[in-house]
Amino acid sequence: MNNAAGQALLAAADQQLVDGVLARQARALAKAITLVESTRRDHQARAEQVLAALLPHTGQAIRVGISGAPGAGKSTFIEALGLHLIGRGHRIAVLAVDPSSTISGGAILGDKTRMEKLSTRPEAFIRPSPSGGSLGGVAEKTREAMLVCEAAGFDVVIVETVGVGQSETTVAGMVDAFVLLQLPNAGDDLQAIKKGIVELADLVAINKADLDPKAAQFAKHQFENALGLLRATSAHWRPKVLTLSAQTGEGIAGFWQEIETHRKTLEASGELAQKRRRQALDWMWTLIDAELRNRFRHHEGVKHDLEKVSRCVTAGSMTPAAAAHRLLNHLQEKN
Ligand code: GDP
């Protein structure tokens, strides 16, 4: 039976889960996220229903992405920021998109042992990266976990990632503000600029300024110059560069002020809603692309024909266009 929104009514156990999340129960939250992260088909179907029920209660949080190389100080920074925010009455969820977890199965990021003080606080929820599958798969689950956290009343969601491959672009695509955490080290700065990651940043934070304030200032100017040459991330916001120290706490309060200013600026101009709409649509297309590719790869007709057609293409007896056309046509056959 379907309700007006076209979604099936929830099974009693799942309704209980939804109610538990909305009542901010830690157990229900963890269970809901485990369900969302499950790769079992039947779990995925349930997760979709649970998420649909939670969706009207999402969207209120400030979503912040934080990226940096290993050792840049991400966990130290998130811990310091998290404790600062709790002091100001916020509830903070920390999720991770760890591309290395897709290879090793182990999650380095979002690990509780890395944020010891924060993880003991009831106002904080820390979840390591889901493992296995592609970066897209990991990101999909993190995106959904973010919605569950929002429904559970977390008003700040931090998504942490390391500077590897596509992960920054993926995380920038699911948050309101994307932050690059950098070391005051010229080699590193150039890397980020060269890789084009700086273009994604709404804020660049130069960490460990306590170690060498001069070097931190120098790095700040380098970034400001680079950002001046780049396209802004928004019509109403020019990316900013800050120096701070996650260890001493210097600059943490100022950092959060900038995030709040960014949020207010985007809200006032209507850009936040627009950005989120665009992110949601982009996400839909990412999922469609992934699923189509999946169906294509697993289609019996394609599997049967793929090797032969590939050989013809490499031998030059069939054009890639004709080959693609022929293979795609298999999708119209019943599998
Ligand atoms: P992550 O790999 O990016 O999560 O980096 P960590 O947070 O684990 O930090 C790496 C190392 O840098 C640790 O030994 C931290 O204690 C140290 N660290 C982090 N932030 C600062 C800082 O602001 N100043 C100094 N001096 N050390 C820091």
Side-chain angles (χ1 to χ4, degrees):
M1 210 177 126
N2 286 341
N3 66 13
Q7 70 208 39
L9 289 175
L10 286 174
D14 291 342
Q15 184 61 56
Q16 225 175 10
L17 199 57
V18 167
D19 293 342
V21 169
L22 294 177
R24 305 184 172 188
Q25 290 163 6
R27 253 177 69 90
L29 173 66
K31 265 176 89 171
I33 291 184
T34 303
L35 184 66
V36 158
E37 287 179 353
S38 171
T39 48
R40 269 177 52 179
R41 281 270 171 204
D42 57 329
H43 285 175
Q44 284 173 353
R46 284 177 53 207
E48 217 167 278
Q49 298 298 321
V50 167
L51 281 167
L54 294 176
L55 201 63
H57 307 278
T58 66
Q60 301 307 319
I62 299 190
R63 302 169 178 173
V64 182
I66 292 178
S67 165
K74 293 179 296 301
S75 56
T76 313
F77 174 67
I78 294 171
E79 170 144 290
L81 178 66
L83 294 171
H84 171 73
L85 293 176
I86 288 172
R88 296 184 44 150
H90 291 285
R91 296 179 77 229
I92 175 170
V94 182
L95 310 171
V97 171
D98 185 350
S100 65
S101 71
T102 64
I103 305 159
S104 65
I108 321 162
L109 292 179
D111 189 338
K112 285 184 184 179
T113 58
R114 293 167 67 239
M115 300 169 207
E116 268 175 23
K117 286 190 205 123
L118 191 60
S119 64
T120 61
R121 299 297 297 255
E123 306 91 336
F125 176 76
I126 300 175
R127 186 81 174 181
S129 182
S131 60
S134 60
L135 171 60
V138 168
E140 176 187 345
K141 288 167 195 163
T142 304
R143 200 174 209 282
E144 291 176 347
M146 175 166 83
L147 298 177
V148 178
C149 289
E150 288 184 351
F154 291 93
D155 61 346
V156 177
V157 181
I158 305 269
V159 185
E160 180 191 11
T161 194
V162 269
V164 180
Q166 273 285 304
S167 71
E168 283 115 335
T169 314
T170 306
V171 170
M174 64 172 90
V175 296
D176 307 327
F178 186 69
V179 178
L180 214 58
L181 198 67
Q182 290 285 312
L183 292 174
N185 162 318
D188 240 57
D189 303 345
L190 290 176
Q191 269 266 317
I193 294 165
K194 233 175 17 201
K195 278 165 65 187
I197 299 156
V198 165
E199 282 178 78
L200 301 170
D202 299 296
L203 267 179
V204 177
I206 318 276
N207 189 31
K208 306 197 189 182
D210 58 297
L211 289 179
D212 188 347
K214 259 198 185 148
Q217 277 305 318
F218 182 70
K220 181 172 185 263
H221 291 313
Q222 264 190 315
F223 270 104
E224 280 168 347
N225 287 339
L227 288 167
L229 300 172
L230 296 169
R231 204 161 37 96
T233 48
S234 125
H236 303 91
W237 177 260
R238 288 218 67 83
K240 292 205 177 126
V241 189
L242 310 169
T243 60
L244 52 85
S245 166
Q247 201 161 69
T248 67
E250 176 103 32
I252 296 284
F255 169 85
W256 189 252
Q257 262 171 19
E258 285 297 347
I259 292 286
E260 283 186 334
T261 309
H262 174 262
R263 165 76 167 211
K264 281 183 198 132
T265 309
L266 260 60
E267 241 168 11
S269 64
E271 219 178 312
L272 183 69
Q274 200 184 2
K275 183 173 187 167
R276 286 186 169 185
R277 278 198 297 270
R278 196 182 57 233
Q279 287 177 336
L281 268 186
D282 283 353
W283 192 250
M284 181 188 82
W285 279 109
T286 303
L287 295 179
I288 290 173
D289 286 345
E291 178 60 19
L292 281 178
R293 185 175 276 265
N294 189 32
R295 285 189 196 178
F296 179 79
R297 291 249 171 224
H298 289 94
H299 193 283
E300 284 305 322
V302 173
K303 278 204 277 196
H304 189 251
D305 207 15
L306 186 62
E307 207 185 299
K308 192 163 102 200
V309 172
S310 302
R311 253 188 279 118
C312 291
V313 172
T314 49
S317 60
M318 196 186 281
T319 65
H325 196 70
R326 169 165 156 174
L327 288 170
L328 285 167
N329 271 343
H330 284 300
L331 286 181
Q332 275 152 30
E333 302 156 9
K334 236 176 140 29
N335 199 2

